Amino acid sequence: MRSRSIILAPGARWRAMNVPGEDAYRNKGVAYCPHCDGPLFKGKRVAVIGGGNSGVEAAIDLAGLASEVTLLEFADVLRADSVLQDKLFSLPNVRVIMNAQTTEVEGDGSRVTALAYRDRPTGTPHKIELEGIFVQIGLVPNTEWLGDSVVLSDRGEIVVDTHNATSVPGIFAAGDATTTPFKQIIVATGEGAKAGLSAFDYLIRLPSAAPLAAAAE
Ligand SMILES: Cc1cc2nc3c(=O)[nH]c(=O)nc-3n(C[C@H](O)[C@H](O)[C@H](O)COP(=O)(O)OP(=O)(O)OC[C@H]3O[C@@H](n4cnc5c(N)ncnc54)[C@H](O)[C@@H]3O)c2cc1C
């Protein structure tokens, strides 16, 4: 296919824990977006998986809603910015467990009831009774298929400017697959509108006999 302009919007996918019970209880207690699903866990016990910036931000956010937040980190240190860690450790209803390898999501058939994990240095199994699990171990943009056709960030996101232009003239991008922060519907749709207007702007400036932009055949 050939085109004078292209808008890329392939989205992104949440990295999963890949443990038994995760698929069965997805959207039945296993969640990936604290801004989206946090209010469903008001007054309940939740865990956050992952101690990077996303996980610590999620735990801080959820601490304002949930009764208890347990953050589990696989490594022996949190990778989040120290300012976020300071905030996290100041919260009375948050506890942090390092060296924790999640092993299973448990439930009663309709909802999550517990999270099992193993202490990595000793191998000792543990269980936390809870109602919600927020998995925060990465959001992977669906950009592998682009190869090096447009510039990607070190996280694989399509690098866009404030007009949603990519590194290639005529190719624009929007949504979760781009470097634009805050992966939310309202942001993605607004960016999509901007990308459309930018493509229009680009097209009306093309000479009428301009060749078609390169695109994947
Ligand atoms: C479980 C869950 C709950 C969420 N809840 C909320 C919420 O309550 N509120 C909120 O604001 N946000 C929520 N979000 C985030 C929101 O869904 C995203 O921010 C938004 O959908 C991003 O829009 P997008 O168009 O960039 O990507 P997407 O909506 O992911 O759309 C991308 C589309 O491109 C397709 N695609 C991918 N690769 C290719 C390809 N090579 N060729 C053709 N098509 C391709 C995909 O199949 C998909 O259909 C949630 C996300 C998840 C996963």
Side-chain angles (χ1 to χ4, degrees):
M1 187 193 294
R2 297 182 72 78
S3 171
R4 290 197 159 79
S5 184
I6 299 170
I7 298 174
L8 302 169
R13 59 193 186 275
W14 297 100
R15 202 186 298 276
M17 295 183 287
N18 292 320
V19 297
E22 180 175 20
D23 286 343
Y25 291 103
R26 183 165 288 136
N27 300 323
K28 295 174 181 169
V30 176
Y32 297 83
C33 176
H35 298 305
C36 314
D37 296 335
L40 301 173
F41 295 89
K42 190 167 183 202
K44 298 185 175 164
R45 299 163 298 180
V46 300
V48 173
I49 311 301
N53 278 344
S54 308
V56 173
E57 284 170 13
I60 293 168
D61 187 4
L62 290 164
L65 292 161
S67 60
E68 286 173 35
V69 179
T70 306
L71 185 142
L72 294 101
E73 164 58 47
F74 184 82
D76 57 3
V77 285
L78 298 181
R79 285 172 291 109
D81 298 341
S82 57
V83 65
L84 289 173
Q85 294 193 37
D86 292 346
K87 175 75 181 174
L88 182 77
F89 286 113
S90 76
L91 298 170
N93 60 339
V94 175
R95 70 177 166 142
V96 176
I97 302 174
M98 307 288 194
N99 288 309
Q101 180 169 14
T102 51
T103 52
E104 187 170 357
V105 175
E106 297 182 15
D108 61 6
S110 61
R111 301 289 309 165
V112 165
T113 56
L115 175 69
Y117 73 95
R118 187 183 303 120
D119 177 63
R120 291 175 57 236
T122 61
T124 312
H126 296 273
K127 189 189 285 194
I128 306 171
E129 307 221 326
L130 43 62
E131 287 77 38
I133 301 167
F134 285 82
V135 184
Q136 295 291 297
I137 52 178
L139 184 66
V140 185
N142 298 320
T143 54
E144 295 87 351
W145 58 282
L146 288 169
D148 58 3
S149 58
V150 293
V151 170
L152 304 178
S153 71
D154 55 2
R155 298 166 65 173
E157 295 171 326
I158 303 165
V159 176
V160 289
D161 67 12
T162 53
H163 286 72
N164 296 82
T166 69
S167 55
V168 178
I171 302 184
F172 302 89
D176 285 8
T178 70
T179 45
T180 301
F182 306 119
K183 311 308 188 193
Q184 295 278 282
I185 294 167
I186 195 164
V187 176
T189 49
E191 293 289 303
K194 278 171 58 194
L197 291 167
S198 292
F200 174 75
D201 246 23
Y202 170 81
L203 289 169
I204 61 170
R205 283 168 173 75
L206 282 182
S208 48
L212 293 171
E217 295 288 343

